[in-house]
Amino acid sequence: MVAVKIKLISTLVLPLFATGCVSTGYSFKDAGFAESSAKSAEATGKQTVWVQNRQHAEQVRERVKALMSKKTIDVETAVQVALLNNKGLQASYADLGDSAADAWQTQLAVLPSFSVGLSGIGTPGLEAYRVLEGAIAANILALATYDKNMKLAETRFRQAQLNAALASISLAAETRVAWINAVAAWENVTYLNQAKATADAASDLAKKLGEAGSLPKADQAREHVFYAELAGETAKARLAAKLAKEELVRLMGLSGSDVEFQIPNRLPSLPKALINRDSIEAEAIQKRIDLQVARLELDATAQAYKLEDVTRFVTDIELVGMVEQERELEDGKIHRNISRTGSLEFTIPIFDSGQARMRKGELAYMRAANQLAEKAVNVRSEARSAYLAYRSNYDIARHYRNSVLPLRKSIEDQSLLTYNGMITSTFELISDAREKIDATMLAVNAKRDFWIAEANLAPVIYGGSTGSAAAESEVASAEAAPAGGH
């Protein structure tokens, strides 16, 4: 006799076998990265790539190599290299893959488990008896809450897509600001080097005049100390400029010989006209990705709250059906005997009516709602502040360019004429030269602040941050490179 015993679950499980599993609409490896990349491209105008295998890595290396082959790296090239080559950004994309895997696991959670076994006895000359057992079981509560669980998993997945786009936008903004800071630092030092060369010549002349008895020792000392102080300021500025470039190197993900690239030693001139952003508040409310993430968080909290309502009294249900079929061979004929039984198993948390979990769900929802409201208020304020900084820094930079610097140059020219005519003292000439240096560096920094404010417009509209690189740096300077870059 051969007996077969099978445990069957409710027919609710059968459609899952027919369809396999529910599709998310994305390939498992892509994990919806294409949509995330499209969102970041809208804000940055640059391409992003998720490196997942050796072939991808080789393609990225070739692309970065081609971009870095330029004689001088401009800001757009720096941003594109960072988006392709920064390993921290690649690590953040793994969160998107994790979320896709969680959604996939949620689909698989409702599939039944299957087991099979074989046992039997037999004696020569007697009838053989074999038992083949198979079991299929699934959690009915998981089936009942499947739609809600899938909606929650899809919401988390969409959040992960948006967060991946935010990481790309943030890196692009940080790189852009780091490039601006580095170039501004080298521009300051370029001017300091020129001023130091002039001061060196003046110091040598003062020494010769002193030896000839034509210049008092006090005036000689003023010339010498002016050159010495200027040399110290130049060295300090050069160090700051090199550190600013290293910040850019880190964001671009470069190492080895790649760090020897050059950047310009002068920031771009101010634009002739400003970008019109009169509706920047509405634009930010519509496009801010972090605001969309907050909205999804509210949706996810509401969905989780509904799940708590469904499972507030029962935490686990399992429906088991059993069909037993016996086959016996007797006198050359097969005799079948079929019997059916069924049972329902469920777990109730003792002394837990679910009220505490429901209350926590209500509080979580209110927390998410208030955070979303606060975020909306902050987004509007940040948009106004960013555009105000953009316009104001433009006016300040133009004021230095059109008014302060021409006046300082005029003062320096007149001082030199009167000094040559023995009317102005050495001390007055040095004082005017030092004030011109200060004014020039202030003008460079004003231009830097404008370009940083311009770079911050994209993050304030689309989301993301400029990180530590956005903070105003101290006046940085460095020695000018022979080829016009560093």
Side-chain angles (χ1 to χ4, degrees):
M1 178 181 71
V2 177
V4 180
K5 181 168 66 176
I6 303 175
K7 291 182 178 180
L8 297 175
I9 63 168
S10 168
T11 55
L12 290 173
V13 178
L14 295 180
L16 295 175
F17 284 107
T19 58
C21 63
V22 180
S23 172
T24 59
Y26 304 104
S27 67
F28 190 68
K29 286 189 176 181
D30 176 75
F33 178 74
E35 288 192 9
S36 176
S37 180
K39 282 189 172 292
S40 63
E42 180 184 354
T44 64
K46 300 292 182 292
Q47 179 189 12
T48 52
V49 176
W50 188 5
V51 179
Q52 300 189 63
N53 54 49
R54 183 175 297 179
Q55 181 182 3
H56 289 169
E58 184 61 31
Q59 291 172 350
V60 167
R61 278 195 296 269
E62 292 299 321
R63 178 81 185 280
V64 171
K65 183 178 179 180
L67 289 170
M68 295 302 297
S69 64
K70 297 180 180 180
K71 185 177 180 180
T72 302
I73 302 300
D74 59 21
V75 65
E76 302 302 330
T77 300
V79 171
Q80 183 62 84
V81 169
L83 290 175
L84 294 175
N85 202 48
N86 186 284
K87 299 305 183 288
L89 181 62
Q90 291 296 319
S92 70
Y93 291 158
D95 294 337
L96 179 57
D98 286 343
S99 181
D102 289 341
W104 182 266
Q105 193 64 39
T106 301
Q107 296 180 61
L108 298 180
V110 298
L111 295 181
S113 60
F114 178 77
S115 62
V116 64
L118 176 65
S119 63
I121 57 174
T123 304
L126 299 177
E127 292 181 350
Y129 181 81
R130 295 286 187 270
V131 178
L132 177 65
E133 293 184 341
I136 304 174
N139 192 300
I140 299 304
L141 188 60
L143 289 170
T145 59
Y146 174 76
D147 289 341
K148 290 183 172 61
N149 278 318
M150 277 306 303
K151 288 181 179 179
L152 179 58
E154 290 171 0
T155 299
R156 294 302 186 192
F157 176 67
R158 289 170 59 196
Q159 281 185 303
Q161 283 182 301
L162 295 175
N163 283 327
L166 277 177
S168 301
I169 295 171
S170 295
L171 177 63
E174 290 174 24
T175 306
R176 191 175 294 274
V177 171
W179 184 91
I180 292 169
N181 279 329
V183 173
W186 289 109
E187 183 173 355
N188 272 328
V189 174
T190 298
Y191 179 76
L192 283 173
N193 281 331
Q194 296 172 356
K196 186 165 71 73
T198 302
D200 186 21
S203 179
D204 288 341
L205 178 60
K207 181 179 179 181
K208 293 177 181 179
L209 291 175
E211 292 173 351
S214 302
L215 189 67
K217 289 186 177 181
D219 289 341
Q220 293 179 49
R222 290 190 183 98
E223 292 283 2
H224 297 330
V225 76
F226 176 60
Y227 168 75
E229 290 175 349
L230 198 55
E233 291 176 11
T234 304
K236 182 180 178 181
R238 185 183 299 113
L239 172 61
K242 289 179 179 179
L243 295 177
K245 185 182 176 183
E246 283 299 327
E247 172 70 14
L248 178 61
V249 167
R250 287 193 294 272
L251 291 171
M252 294 172 68
L254 300 175
S255 61
S257 60
D258 291 338
V259 304
E260 301 301 328
F261 66 91
Q262 294 182 344
I263 59 174
N265 54 17
R266 185 178 180 85
L267 285 171
S269 301
L270 295 175
K272 294 182 180 179
L274 290 176
I275 302 172
N276 186 8
R277 293 285 188 183
D278 292 337
S279 59
I280 191 170
E281 288 183 55
E283 192 174 2
I285 289 293
Q286 180 184 1
K287 296 180 179 179
R288 277 286 284 260
I289 296 177
D290 52 350
L291 194 59
Q292 296 173 35
V293 171
R295 290 193 187 100
L296 288 174
E297 182 62 31
L298 183 63
D299 292 342
T301 304
Q303 290 159 4
Y305 176 77
K306 291 177 183 177
L307 277 175
E308 291 289 350
D309 189 29
V310 170
T311 61
R312 62 184 303 186
F313 296 116
V314 180
T315 61
D316 195 17
I317 302 176
E318 188 176 78
L319 178 63
V320 179
M322 183 176 67
V323 175
E324 183 178 273
Q325 176 178 301
E326 295 183 357
R327 301 176 63 191
E328 183 178 4
L329 181 63
E330 185 178 354
D331 298 331
K333 296 182 180 180
I334 297 176
H335 301 276
R336 293 184 176 88
N337 184 25
I338 300 175
S339 62
R340 298 178 177 84
T341 60
S343 65
L344 178 67
E345 300 175 0
F346 60 92
T347 303
I348 300 177
I350 303 301
F351 306 118
D352 184 2
S353 65
Q355 293 181 355
R357 285 183 290 141
M358 292 292 292
R359 179 56 178 165
K360 289 185 68 175
E362 293 173 358
L363 294 174
Y365 183 84
M366 291 305 300
R367 182 188 301 114
N370 284 313
Q371 288 173 344
L372 176 59
E374 180 190 31
K375 188 71 176 176
V377 171
N378 292 345
V379 163
R380 297 174 71 94
S381 176
E382 290 168 9
R384 293 192 301 269
S385 297
Y387 192 62
L388 177 62
Y390 173 69
R391 292 189 61 91
S392 298
N393 280 304
Y394 180 76
D395 292 338
I396 293 170
R398 278 208 318 167
H399 173 71
Y400 274 99
R401 183 193 64 184
N402 298 339
S403 299
V404 177
L405 290 183
L407 287 173
R408 279 295 170 195
K409 187 177 185 306
S410 177
I411 292 172
E412 184 187 45
D413 292 342
Q414 292 300 317
S415 295
L416 187 59
L417 288 175
T418 55
Y419 176 76
N420 292 335
M422 305 299 292
I423 300 175
T424 300
S425 68
T426 301
F427 177 76
E428 292 173 329
L429 181 64
I430 292 175
S431 177
D432 290 338
R434 183 177 293 280
E435 289 174 356
K436 184 191 174 184
I437 292 173
D438 292 340
T440 302
M441 296 178 70
L442 287 173
V444 172
N445 292 338
K447 185 168 59 171
R448 177 204 64 193
D449 292 343
F450 164 75
W451 285 116
I452 289 177
E454 195 269 344
N456 286 337
L457 287 180
V460 84
I461 292 173
Y462 293 95
S465 67
T466 54
S468 60
E472 287 191 9
S473 62
E474 295 182 359
V475 174
S477 316
E479 194 172 30
H486 304 270

